[in-house]
Amino acid sequence: MIITKVNASTPYNVYIGKGLIDSFDLSPYAGKEDAVRKAAIITDEIVSPLYLYRVIKLFKKNGFEVCSCSFEGGEEHKTLDTVGKLLSFLSMHQLTRTDVVVALGGGIVGDVVGFAASVYLRGLDFIQIPTTLLAAVDSSVGGKTGVNFEGLKNQVGCFHQPSAVICDVDTFSTLPPARFSEGISEVIKYGVISSPEIFTMLENRTPIEEIVAKCVSIKALFVEGDEYDKGERQMLNFGHTVGHAIEKLSHGTVSHGNAVAVGMVVMTASAACLGYCTDDFSLRLSALLKKYNLPVSTDYTAADIAEAVLHDKKRSSDKVTLVLPEKLGKCILVPYKVDELAGLLGKGLSSSAEKK
Ligand code: GLY
């Protein structure tokens, strides 16, 4: 097992290994002898038949009193309505401030359950058990929780750090290949923003737990340096401004990982057009994405994407902060005028289409 510490305002460990959902020692998180701690284990309807029983067994074995529920997954259920139902569930089972909420599943489960945990009784401890690669390397770490609101992604939420993240990489074995590749898109992102070594690890097919640990250690540094996302942490949004726009334009039919893959290619090509980086880096990025069957182009126009970016959370007044690569492993944040964005994206889109 690999343990990575995240020194956020409330520090916690991320445990990465095999077989953890059956054998992890939860004693550091269990109640004192005289006070049994309740664990509300919450998942979605896809993960429930796969892993819920085993996770319930693990918590019971470690002395917790357990209640559990599952909700319908998918972006369309990442809503305040779902949060309301989860709050009713926590209330019905009389969870108190000494109890713990457990989010078992992918990024949507983690975000929604984390948000419910953050507001119930003004904040309960929660433990993330990510079961997708994407959640393991990104959303389960760093404390961002929330839901979509009025058609806008993650528009309502708060920062609430987990007490622990328990990542059992064996759970990735039940992911459809496309879902696994979605996670690889975020892994590649870490390579571009911080670590050329990740490209080598992927090219050499390094064991996935080592890749997850490397990504988590990078994310930990960004979170420690800028927990509330005011500066450097925005690097983690490389490819996401265009990616979120594509997700929105497609009404969710293009997955997050696929949209981010296209976003990374477009931003890299745009950076090359602005003279920040060279074309050969953009070719290496596209080749690696294609190796994992990730898309490198889109049919949406630059104008469509720029219009959708108007609603991006990362926009402030008339500017949006772009994450532009200078070379593999190094990006910079560039505030860019929203009304000039369509022009830049147009150049990026046509340059990336030429190299397809
Ligand atoms: N997913 C980007 C972040 O946690 O900041």
Side-chain angles (χ1 to χ4, degrees):
M1 181 168 72
I2 306 170
I3 304 175
T4 301
K5 186 161 189 175
V6 183
N7 282 307
S9 48
T10 48
Y12 53 97
N13 285 338
V14 181
Y15 304 91
I16 302 150
K18 289 170 169 286
L20 301 190
I21 62 168
D22 297 312
S23 62
F24 186 75
D25 175 12
L26 282 164
S27 52
Y29 304 97
K32 310 273 176 300
E33 264 160 41
D34 54 343
V36 173
R37 205 174 190 198
K38 225 178 253 179
I41 304 172
I42 305 176
T43 187
D44 69 18
E45 287 175 353
I46 293 176
V47 177
S48 173
L50 296 170
Y51 301 115
L52 181 59
Y53 173 73
R54 285 161 65 185
V55 173
I56 289 175
K57 207 167 145 196
L58 178 77
F59 275 79
K60 283 191 173 165
K61 194 168 76 183
N62 280 274
F64 287 82
E65 187 184 322
V66 174
C67 58
S68 68
C69 73
S70 60
F71 64 93
E72 224 176 318
E75 286 289 338
E76 68 275 29
H77 298 289
K78 190 176 177 183
T79 58
L80 286 174
D81 188 46
T82 302
V83 172
K85 287 179 182 145
L86 297 184
L87 296 176
S88 300
F89 170 79
L90 297 176
S91 178
M92 187 174 80
H93 288 273
Q94 298 175 3
L95 264 82
T96 68
R97 291 182 106 167
T98 54
D99 295 325
V100 64
V101 178
V102 181
L104 169 67
I108 294 175
V109 172
D111 284 7
V112 175
V113 175
F115 187 49
S118 77
V119 290
Y120 182 77
L121 301 179
R122 296 203 177 88
L124 290 197
D125 285 356
F126 89 114
I127 293 176
Q128 290 264 24
I129 306 186
T131 57
T132 65
L133 177 58
L134 196 146
V137 297
D138 186 28
S139 55
S140 65
V141 179
K144 280 189 181 173
T145 74
V147 294
N148 303 332
F149 187 66
E150 297 193 340
L152 301 176
K153 203 170 156 68
N154 299 333
Q155 193 71 1
V156 172
C158 66
F159 291 92
H160 185 57
Q161 299 293 342
S163 313
V165 181
I166 302 165
C167 171
D168 183 342
V169 296
D170 286 342
T171 59
F172 305 159
S173 66
T174 47
L175 287 175
R179 289 276 277 157
F180 184 80
S181 289
E182 270 204 73
I184 293 288
S185 185
E186 294 283 351
V187 171
I188 291 172
K189 174 193 82 179
Y190 287 106
V192 178
I193 64 171
S194 179
S195 165
E197 197 190 337
I198 289 188
F199 270 51
T200 317
M201 288 170 108
L202 286 171
E203 284 158 356
N204 295 340
R205 300 215 177 257
T206 302
I208 197 68
E209 54 269 44
E210 288 174 38
I211 292 177
V212 172
K214 179 78 189 168
C215 295
V216 168
S217 67
I218 295 170
K219 178 142 191 189
L221 290 177
F222 281 106
V223 171
E224 286 160 13
D226 175 27
E227 185 168 341
Y228 298 103
D229 206 16
K230 305 269 187 227
E232 289 293 287
R233 184 170 175 169
Q234 291 173 39
M235 294 284 187
L236 296 169
N237 292 326
F238 172 56
H240 283 60
T241 299
V242 169
H244 284 164
I246 291 173
E247 276 184 272
K248 183 171 150 52
L249 291 166
S250 77
H251 301 285
T253 57
V254 177
S255 70
H256 179 70
N258 284 3
V260 167
V262 175
M264 291 193 289
V265 172
V266 174
M267 289 327 294
T268 303
S270 303
C273 292
L274 290 170
Y276 285 104
C277 67
T278 57
D279 276 347
D280 46 336
F281 159 54
S282 132
L283 289 173
R284 191 171 170 201
L285 171 65
S286 295
L288 191 54
L289 291 167
K290 281 194 230 166
K291 189 169 162 186
Y292 287 93
N293 295 318
L294 288 159
V296 294
S297 62
T298 178
D299 289 336
Y300 293 111
T301 65
D304 290 339
I305 295 173
E307 172 64 26
V309 169
L310 279 176
H311 298 288
D312 197 287
K313 289 191 299 307
K314 293 171 281 302
R315 183 170 76 88
S316 54
S317 65
D318 61 339
K319 293 210 172 117
V320 63
T321 301
L322 300 181
V323 187
L324 298 176
E326 290 187 312
K327 60 178 182 178
L328 184 53
K330 188 169 186 308
C331 288
I332 50 166
L333 299 175
V334 179
Y336 205 83
K337 281 210 166 142
V338 178
D339 55 13
E340 290 173 11
L341 190 61
L344 175 64
L345 295 178
K347 285 188 208 153
L349 281 168
S350 45
S351 152
S352 51
E354 276 163 28
K355 295 187 203 87
K356 227 167 52 160

